[in-house]
Amino acid sequence: DAGITQSPRHKVTETGTPVTLRCHQTENHRYMYWYRQDPGHGLRLIHYSYGVKDTDKGEVSDGYSVSRSKTEDFLLTLESATSSQTSVYFCAISPLGAFLHFGNGTRLTVT
Amino acid sequence: ILNVEQSPQSLHVQEGDSTNFTCSFPSSNFYALHWYRWETAKSPEALFVMTLNGDEKKKGRISATLNTKEGYSYLYIKGSQPEDSATYLCAFRLKTSYDKVIFGPGTSLSVIP
């Protein structure tokens, strides 16, 4: 166990509502990532962080925002959820240049 | 847009067969190449991190090679077993933005007993 926890594990929400997913780590790693799992695309990078308050966009950042106010927490917010954001979301952590350790995923359904 | 490609998309082999798949990435701007194994309903787990041209890594029956000049990596599985059934992902780190990790679409392997 790489000391990474995602919450909630499952979430059902309605179109148009805001949703926040949380990633918490106990490893003190500098880098944190949010990915979404899409059939035929593997994992697509939404946003990532390279330090407290330092974040950058990934491949599919539209409709998502992130915040990292502490080393251990990386929050992903869907400002106004849409059905196209139904997916499984994975958080990952990494020390510099090393491979990623993944959380168990959050299954989000937008109805 | 950064393109990391994997082939084939899916593969079905008999138990005991050896198999291999390919990951292609931009040869310029290379920093590192990762391989991950992803079983259904679980999280991806790292197999290898490769950084040098000509790198070869091995873990049990699984091995990988890296050619950074031409932009590809091969993953080999010798004597496939049913427990090898999973999706194999490669991921690419850019030299100019090494904190960004971009995944390929994966190769889904099914090993038939």
Side-chain angles (χ1 to χ4, degrees):
Chain A
D1 185 358
I4 176 171
T5 306
Q6 291 185 231
S7 58
R9 292 295 312 278
H10 303 273
K11 175 82 175 176
V12 179
T13 192
E14 292 184 350
T15 298
T17 58
V19 177
T20 295
L21 309 183
R22 181 180 183 235
C23 179
H24 177 79
Q25 62 152 328
T26 58
E27 304 295 317
N28 203 35
H29 287 330
R30 179 177 173 186
Y31 297 94
M32 299 185 76
Y33 303 81
W34 277 109
Y35 290 89
R36 55 177 287 171
Q37 175 186 356
D38 292 315
H41 293 277
L43 293 170
R44 292 200 287 179
L45 181 63
I46 306 171
H47 282 279
Y48 64 101
S49 169
Y50 44 95
V52 173
K53 297 187 179 173
D54 290 324
T55 65
D56 205 348
K57 296 180 180 180
E59 308 164 277
V60 289
S61 59
D62 287 349
Y64 301 95
S65 62
V66 289
S67 66
R68 191 167 178 200
S69 58
K70 300 184 287 186
T71 298
E72 57 266 34
D73 289 326
F74 192 31
L75 304 180
L76 176 71
T77 297
L78 289 65
E79 305 289 347
S80 177
T82 67
S83 58
S84 65
Q85 293 176 312
T86 292
S87 187
V88 180
Y89 291 83
F90 285 94
C91 176
I93 61 176
S94 168
L96 174 62
F99 53 75
L100 306 185
H101 294 281
F102 285 86
N104 289 326
T106 294
R107 184 174 294 277
L108 176 67
T109 303
V110 183
T111 62
Chain B
I1 296 178
L2 182 65
N3 270 339
V4 180
E5 299 177 351
Q6 292 187 246
S7 63
Q9 183 176 359
S10 65
L11 199 53
H12 294 79
V13 301
Q14 291 291 134
E15 182 176 353
D17 288 349
S18 293
T19 187
N20 65 86
F21 4 104
T22 306
C23 172
S24 301
F25 53 85
S27 56
S28 61
N29 208 1
F30 173 84
Y31 182 80
L33 192 285
H34 303 179
W35 280 101
Y36 294 82
R37 181 170 179 273
W38 191 9
E39 291 181 72
T40 302
K42 293 188 177 181
S43 303
E45 293 184 345
L47 289 171
F48 307 115
V49 175
M50 309 177 80
T51 56
L52 298 175
N53 185 46
D55 250 356
E56 292 187 20
K57 301 270 185 172
K58 187 174 181 181
K59 191 174 187 177
R61 294 179 291 99
I62 303 177
S63 60
T65 61
L66 178 67
N67 184 323
T68 61
K69 295 187 187 305
E70 296 182 39
Y72 64 84
S73 176
Y74 293 138
L75 188 79
Y76 301 91
I77 302 178
K78 184 177 178 181
S80 303
Q81 299 297 307
E83 57 265 30
D84 295 328
S85 297
T87 296
Y88 291 83
L89 298 169
C90 69
F92 178 71
R93 282 188 188 263
L94 296 84
K95 185 166 57 180
T96 52
S97 182
Y98 50 76
D99 41 9
K100 183 182 286 190
V101 182
I102 303 297
F103 281 81
T107 292
S108 174
L109 174 67
S110 295
V111 182
I112 304 161

